[in-house]
Amino acid sequence: MTTETDIQTFLQRTERFAREVLAPQVPAWERERRIGREVFEQVADIGLTRVELPVAWGGLGLPFSAKVRMSEILAAVDFGFTMSVINTGNVANKLAREAAPDVARRYVADIIHGRRFGSVALTEPGAGSDFSAITTTATRGADGWRIDGAKAWITNTAISDVIVMYAQTEAGSGARGIAGFLIDGQRKGFIREPAFAMAGQHTLGTGGFRLDGYIARDDEMLQPPGKAFKAALASINGARTYIAAMSCGMVGEALRIASDYGERRHSFGVPLAEHQGWRWRLAEAGSELAACRMMVNQAAGLLDAGQDAMLIAAQAKLLATRMADRQLPLLMQAMGAEGLREEYPFGRHLIGARLANFVDGSTEMLLERISAVMRRS
Ligand SMILES: Cc1cc2nc3c(=O)[nH]c(=O)nc-3n(C[C@H](O)[C@H](O)[C@H](O)COP(=O)(O)OP(=O)(O)OC[C@H]3O[C@@H](n4cnc5c(N)ncnc54)[C@H](O)[C@@H]3O)c2cc1C
C-alpha cells in the first residue's frame, strides 16, 4: 500500500536528480546529439523507469498520477530525456503485465536496472497517423513468426533493444490483422538505422530499424491479431496525459526563469517586471498554465481511478501543447537576447513543444477524437 509520503519522497528525489544531475549535462548531450545513457544507473536507483511497475516485479508500484508528476518535473529540464525514460519504463510495465512470465523475466530486471533500453514501435516510413496501414509483415513458420519490414520515428531506437512492436499478419486486413510482438534487438535479423538528425531534441534518440527475416518465438507474440490494435491504443489516454504534463513542465520552467530575470534585469531605470507590457505577458502564461495543469490533474485522477479519460486526456494534450507552442517563444522574447544562451532551456523547449504535437496522437488526430466523443454524447 503506497502512501502520499512515498509519492512525495519519490518526487523530491526526482526534483533533486533533475536539478543536480540532468540540468548541468543536457546541453552537452544535445550538442553531441545523443541520449545521456551514462545517468541511467541513477535513473534506476531513483526508480524513474519503474514508477508504476508492480512491487513484485521490482517496481515502485505508485499510481499513474505519480508518473505524470515525475514527467512534468523532468520535462522542465528536457523533453527528450523524459521521453526516453518514460518509453523505457513503459516497455518494462507492458512486459510485466502482458507478456508470458518467462518472457517478461528475461527482460524486466535488465530494463529497470538501466542495462537495456525499451521502445514501443507502431510508426513506419509509410504509416504514421493511420496505424492500421502498417505493412511490416509477420508470417507464421515452423519456428515462430518471421517478421520483415521497417519502423521509423521511434523514441529510443538509438540505443533500445527491447522493443514492443506491431506487425500485419494478413495483408489487406487492416486493424484486424495486426499483432503485437516483443523484438530482441540483440538477435539476428534486427538492423538498427542511424538515429535521425533533427531540428533538435536528440536526447530522445529517435530513429528507425529494419527487420529482415527476424524470428519471434510463439511466446513472444504479446497480443494476437484482433486484440493488438486495441491494446496498442489502450495506453494512449495515459500517454496524452503525461505529454500534456510535460508541456506544462516546459512552460513552468520558462516562466520561472523569465520571472526571475525580470526582477534582476533593468531597462529605463527599473526592473523589467516594473513594465506593465512586460509583466502582462507572464501573467497570461501563468494563467494558461494553471488551467492546463487542472486538466492534467483531472485526467490523471480519472486514470488512477480506472475511469474513462478519453475526452479530458485528448483535450489536455491539445490545449497544453498549443499553450507550449505559443507561450515558449513569448517567454523567450521576454528574456531578450539572453534567452538564446545554451545554458537556458528555451531553444530545446521550443523544439520539444513542436515534437509534443506529434507524439501519441497529432493535434489533428486529437481533434478527430474530441469531435467523435462530442458527437456521441
Ligand atoms: C520525436 C518523435 C518521437 C516519436 N516516437 C514514436 C514512438 O516511440 N513510437 C511510434 O510508434 N511512433 C513515434 N513517433 C511517430 C508519431 O507517432 C507520428 O509522427 C504521428 O503518428 C504522426 O504520423 P506522421 O508523422 O507520419 O504524420 P502523417 O500521418 O504523415 O500526417 C501528416 C500530417 O497530416 C495530418 N493528418 C493525417 N491524417 C489526417 C486526417 N485524417 N485529418 C487531418 N489531418 C491529418 C497529421 O496530423 C500530420 O499533421 C514519434 C514522432 C516524433 C516526432
Side-chain angles (χ1 to χ4, degrees):
M1 181 71 185
T2 57
T3 64
E4 186 54 31
T5 313
D6 297 329
I7 297 172
Q8 284 309 327
T9 307
F10 166 68
L11 293 174
Q12 279 160 12
R13 287 205 308 254
T14 305
E15 289 250 19
R16 203 172 321 122
F17 169 81
R19 207 175 41 246
E20 294 172 9
V21 180
L22 205 50
Q25 299 193 68
V26 149
W29 297 338
E30 181 54 43
R31 222 181 300 129
E32 294 156 15
R33 297 191 159 199
R34 68 181 181 89
I35 295 179
R37 67 184 295 166
E38 61 269 33
V39 300
F40 268 78
E41 217 170 284
Q42 281 156 287
V43 164
D45 286 347
I46 303 168
L48 301 179
T49 50
R50 55 189 164 98
V51 188
E52 296 167 279
L53 189 71
V55 174
W57 281 95
L60 301 182
L62 297 180
F64 175 73
S65 53
K67 174 161 134 181
V68 170
R69 287 154 80 184
M70 169 198 92
S71 308
E72 177 167 352
I73 294 167
L74 294 177
V77 179
D78 192 59
F79 180 88
F81 181 85
T82 313
M83 282 289 284
S84 173
V85 164
I86 287 181
N87 275 265
T88 286
N90 285 350
V91 170
N93 205 27
K94 257 183 195 301
L95 292 182
R97 291 173 197 269
E98 295 169 26
D102 279 356
V103 174
R105 262 193 292 276
R106 283 204 294 273
Y107 298 99
V108 170
D110 277 351
I111 296 174
I112 64 175
H113 289 114
R115 295 190 287 267
R116 295 185 79 166
F117 297 84
S119 291
V120 179
L122 290 78
T123 306
E124 299 187 351
S129 307
D130 185 3
F131 172 40
S132 66
I134 60 171
T135 57
T136 293
T137 55
T139 315
R140 192 81 180 79
D143 43 1
W145 291 86
R146 180 195 161 113
I147 305 183
D148 295 279
K151 295 285 171 183
W153 290 106
I154 309 301
T155 299
N156 269 343
T157 46
I159 56 172
S160 64
D161 60 5
V162 186
I163 301 173
V164 173
M165 195 221 60
Y166 297 87
Q168 180 55 260
T169 59
E170 189 189 336
S173 68
R176 195 168 34 84
I178 292 175
F181 294 91
L182 168 71
I183 301 294
D184 185 327
Q186 295 180 6
R187 264 195 231 158
K188 203 166 128 245
F190 176 89
I191 303 136
R192 193 188 308 280
E193 305 280 9
F196 294 173
M198 305 198 299
Q201 285 292 339
H202 296 88
T203 45
L204 48 58
T206 313
F209 60 88
R210 280 181 296 121
L211 295 168
D212 183 4
Y214 179 94
I215 303 293
R217 296 177 200 128
D218 282 345
D219 63 357
E220 291 168 342
M221 179 186 267
L222 299 175
Q223 301 100 12
K227 295 218 166 124
F229 186 85
K230 227 173 157 192
L233 299 182
S235 53
I236 200 120
N237 298 328
R240 289 173 178 170
T241 304
Y242 62 65
I243 298 289
M246 288 162 67
S247 302
C248 291
M250 290 189 285
V251 173
E253 180 65 359
L255 184 57
R256 187 191 67 73
I257 294 168
S259 304
D260 181 52
Y261 190 66
E263 301 299 335
R264 288 186 284 115
R265 174 79 174 179
H266 287 67
S267 79
F268 301 96
V270 291
L272 288 171
E274 289 292 324
H275 299 296
Q276 188 184 65
W278 191 94
R279 64 173 185 262
W280 279 16
R281 190 172 270 163
L282 273 61
E284 295 263 6
S287 305
E288 287 187 25
L289 178 60
C292 287
R293 278 183 171 146
M294 279 186 222
M295 296 180 83
V296 167
N297 289 342
Q298 193 184 335
L302 286 172
L303 289 164
D304 273 354
Q307 290 174 20
D308 178 23
M310 188 188 286
L311 182 61
I312 187 70
Q315 289 173 330
K317 180 173 186 269
L318 176 76
L319 295 186
T321 52
R322 276 199 180 149
M323 167 190 69
D325 252 349
R326 194 178 49 256
Q327 292 297 348
L328 286 169
L330 295 174
L331 292 167
M332 190 176 187
Q333 178 74 14
M335 296 285 294
E338 186 70 7
L340 295 162
R341 286 187 191 279
E342 186 197 53
E343 66 249 38
Y344 293 115
F346 294 94
R348 282 181 291 106
H349 282 3
L350 288 182
I351 303 294
R354 282 280 72 233
L355 302 191
N357 279 269
F358 297 110
V359 294
D360 297 300
S362 68
T363 306
E364 292 75 15
M365 293 302 105
L366 294 174
L367 288 166
E368 279 296 298
R369 174 56 52 209
I370 292 165
S371 21
V373 177
M374 284 169 65
R375 287 181 75 190
R376 271 207 308 269
S377 58

